Amino acid sequence: MSKRYVKTRVKERFGPKIEKVNISEKSFWPRAIAAGVLLLIGTILLAHSCARYFGTQDGWQEITIESSQETNYSSEFSLQYDIGRSGVSAGVEKRNVTAVYTEALTEAYDIFNADEQGKDSANLYDLNQHPNETLTVSKELYQALETLEQYDARWIYLGPVYALSTNLFQSEDDVIASDYDPYREQSLADFYQKIADFARDPQQIQIEKKGNNQVCLKVSQEYMQFAKDNEIDQFVELSYMRNAFVCDYIADKLTEEGYTNGFVSSYEGYTRYLNREDYSYTGTIYGRNGAKTGKIADETISGMNATVVLKDFAVADLEKYRYYKYGDGTARSSYMSLSDGKDYAAIPYLYAASENSGCAEILLQLLPHYITDEWDVDAVYALSKNGIYVIYTENGKAYTNLPNNEYKESP
């Protein structure tokens, strides 16, 4: 593989420069005045904090995380919560919900990360750095790996493809994008095909689970040599699947602590409803007709546990790192196929809701029907036997088998 395809990952950590300043003992009154000013500022800040925590109004609010030095996924998620409904003081409830939400976002970053070493236990980054070694992961990551195996979701083994595809999605123009597009660059297509061949074969690569949260990323000698020759350092990666697991993790943490009057969602469309009995929820359905994309309808659902959105175009700002759109309207997405490593989307927009399953289980049941060049609506509708219902859009129109659904098309 040409070295120009190698993704260079550079992580720099920045911090403030700290300088020691000596204060003269001769300047008593200026120092006393300065101390008084600081005391006043502290009093104002304390009053502001009290107002924030104890003067909160009841009703729906977006919960933002507490200030934290720990890196987390706060920029990728939103928690909407009906403060005060439980009968607890609104200020106290908001403070407690915020604390649990902050902790969950921070813990999830450590558990599901493929770019930084795990702190409390091994994560995907550690597995990639230590192939053929037994490591201890968190119980949450172990359970996620069990779920992936349950649905034979071997897309996790397309790690090198996901790493290199960021070059395409971050391209500044169509000429540059073409160099990183396997549909337009044959040498890259050949490389992606080789990765896909490895990814499909459990004899070449497999995460072996040994119990007690111990796992081993087994990689064959052939694949190890190929990785060395092509500077591959990322065998496994959740990519677009990651936030489905993170969304479930956050929701589970909140409900375990008794906070159920709201919903948590990610920027790309994973949502967990913490209370499906007492609320109905509204959302926007999008579609693509040729190169034109936009809102098609508003919908209202009730009685659902989670929803998942798959689409071949970007809506949120952060999604520009998952898609590339050529000037002629041709789109590339993150949904890579195990057949050849290229991206596919059977339908422009697919929205799924489940009565019982979480985001990850919904997603893994949808992917075999979505990452393909043939749309089989009957097969997707048949997922209703598992409690999964869908809305899909085609040629500017929407179709659904979703029960308890109120649907209003946009003018």
Side-chain angles (χ1 to χ4, degrees), residues 291-328:
K292 184 179 180 181
T293 62
K295 174 181 174 181
I296 288 182
D298 294 313
E299 54 84 26
T300 301
I301 62 170
S302 60
M304 294 295 163
N305 183 60
T307 56
V308 167
V309 173
L310 302 177
K311 57 190 184 306
D312 66 0
F313 55 91
V315 175
D317 289 341
L318 283 177
E319 290 185 295
K320 63 184 179 182
Y321 300 111
R322 298 287 189 191
Y323 301 89
Y324 184 83
K325 185 177 180 180
Y326 287 97
D328 63 3

Side-chain angles (χ1 to χ4, degrees), residues 155 158 162 169 240 268 270 309-313 319 322-323 332-337 341-345 363 367 370-372:
W155 299 282
L158 291 172
Y162 298 136
F169 301 140
Y240 58 86
E268 69 266 69
Y270 300 120
V309 173
L310 302 177
K311 57 190 184 306
D312 66 0
F313 55 91
E319 290 185 295
R322 298 287 189 191
Y323 301 89
R332 298 285 179 255
S333 70
S334 303
Y335 304 108
M336 311 304 182
S337 171
K342 297 178 181 178
D343 70 291
Y344 293 88
L363 173 67
L367 288 180
Y370 191 78
I371 306 179
T372 176

Side-chain angles (χ1 to χ4, degrees), residues 20-32:
K20 183 177 180 181
V21 179
N22 294 318
I23 301 176
S24 172
E25 296 293 335
K26 299 179 180 180
S27 305
F28 173 76
W29 284 111
R31 291 171 59 214

Side-chain angles (χ1 to χ4, degrees), residues 147-172:
T147 301
L148 288 161
E149 184 176 64
Q150 175 186 348
Y151 291 100
D152 196 24
R154 296 191 63 82
W155 299 282
I156 190 176
Y157 299 115
L158 291 172
V161 173
Y162 298 136
L164 290 175
S165 65
T166 60
N167 294 319
L168 169 61
F169 301 140
Q170 295 175 12
S171 296
E172 297 179 357

Side-chain angles (χ1 to χ4, degrees), residues 30-320:
R31 291 171 59 214
I33 294 172
V37 171
L38 290 175
L39 179 61
L40 177 60
I41 292 173
T43 301
I44 294 173
L45 290 175
L46 179 60
H48 174 73
S49 297
C50 290
R52 176 186 175 192
Y53 287 130
F54 298 105
T56 302
Q57 298 296 314
D58 292 349
W60 282 98
Q61 299 180 35
E62 180 174 7
I63 305 299
T64 55
I65 70 164
E66 296 174 334
S67 177
S68 173
Q69 294 181 347
E70 298 290 335
T71 309
N72 55 61
Y73 288 131
S74 59
S75 64
E76 301 184 26
F77 284 86
S78 173
L79 172 61
Q80 303 291 332
Y81 203 84
D82 190 3
I83 294 293
R85 182 183 176 93
S86 63
V88 178
S89 166
V92 172
E93 183 175 43
K94 184 174 182 180
R95 179 181 60 190
N96 294 339
V97 171
T98 299
V100 175
Y101 181 52
T102 301
E103 183 178 34
L105 284 166
T106 303
E107 291 174 345
Y109 184 87
D110 188 47
I111 293 169
F112 297 103
N113 206 314
D115 293 320
E116 295 181 18
Q117 183 178 0
K119 296 177 181 178
D120 298 325
S121 58
N123 58 16
L124 294 179
Y125 174 88
D126 297 301
L127 291 180
N128 283 318
Q129 297 303 308
H130 300 278
N132 298 310
E133 297 180 29
T134 298
L135 303 176
T136 300
V137 300
S138 67
K139 66 176 182 179
E140 292 84 6
L141 180 55
Y142 195 88
Q143 290 168 354
L145 295 174
E146 286 184 321
T147 301
L148 288 161
E149 184 176 64
Q150 175 186 348
Y151 291 100
D152 196 24
R154 296 191 63 82
W155 299 282
I156 190 176
Y157 299 115
L158 291 172
V161 173
Y162 298 136
L164 290 175
S165 65
T166 60
N167 294 319
L168 169 61
F169 301 140
Q170 295 175 12
S171 296
E172 297 179 357
D173 57 50
D174 289 0
V175 174
I176 296 175
S178 295
D179 286 339
Y180 297 110
D181 186 346
Y183 283 99
R184 302 190 180 196
E185 175 55 60
Q186 186 58 47
S187 63
L188 188 61
D190 294 340
F191 178 74
Y192 278 21
Q193 181 67 68
K194 186 65 174 177
I195 296 298
D197 292 341
F198 282 130
R200 291 194 311 273
D201 188 353
Q203 298 301 315
Q204 295 288 350
I205 183 168
Q206 179 72 29
I207 297 178
E208 183 180 294
K209 290 172 291 301
K210 300 187 174 185
N212 297 320
N213 299 329
Q214 291 190 319
V215 301
C216 178
L217 175 61
K218 305 287 288 185
V219 182
S220 70
Q221 291 185 354
E222 178 187 357
Y223 195 178
M224 287 294 293
Q225 185 60 53
F226 181 83
K228 180 179 179 181
D229 294 342
N230 292 277
E231 301 182 18
I232 291 172
D233 64 353
Q234 183 170 295
F235 294 98
V236 293
E237 165 67 273
L238 285 170
S239 185
Y240 58 86
M241 296 178 282
R242 184 199 69 200
N243 278 353
F245 288 97
V246 174
C247 193
D248 288 337
Y249 179 81
I250 296 170
D252 290 342
K253 286 293 182 181
L254 287 165
T255 54
E256 285 171 7
E257 295 296 327
Y259 300 114
T260 59
N261 295 319
F263 64 93
V264 59
S265 58
S266 70
Y267 71 91
E268 69 266 69
Y270 300 120
T271 302
R272 273 285 299 274
Y273 301 105
L274 309 179
N275 185 329
R276 55 180 176 160
E277 303 296 334
D278 302 328
Y279 296 95
S280 60
Y281 302 92
T282 61
T284 300
I285 302 300
Y286 293 90
R288 176 174 63 80
N289 191 357
K292 184 179 180 181
T293 62
K295 174 181 174 181
I296 288 182
D298 294 313
E299 54 84 26
T300 301
I301 62 170
S302 60
M304 294 295 163
N305 183 60
T307 56
V308 167
V309 173
L310 302 177
K311 57 190 184 306
D312 66 0
F313 55 91
V315 175
D317 289 341
L318 283 177
E319 290 185 295
K320 63 184 179 182

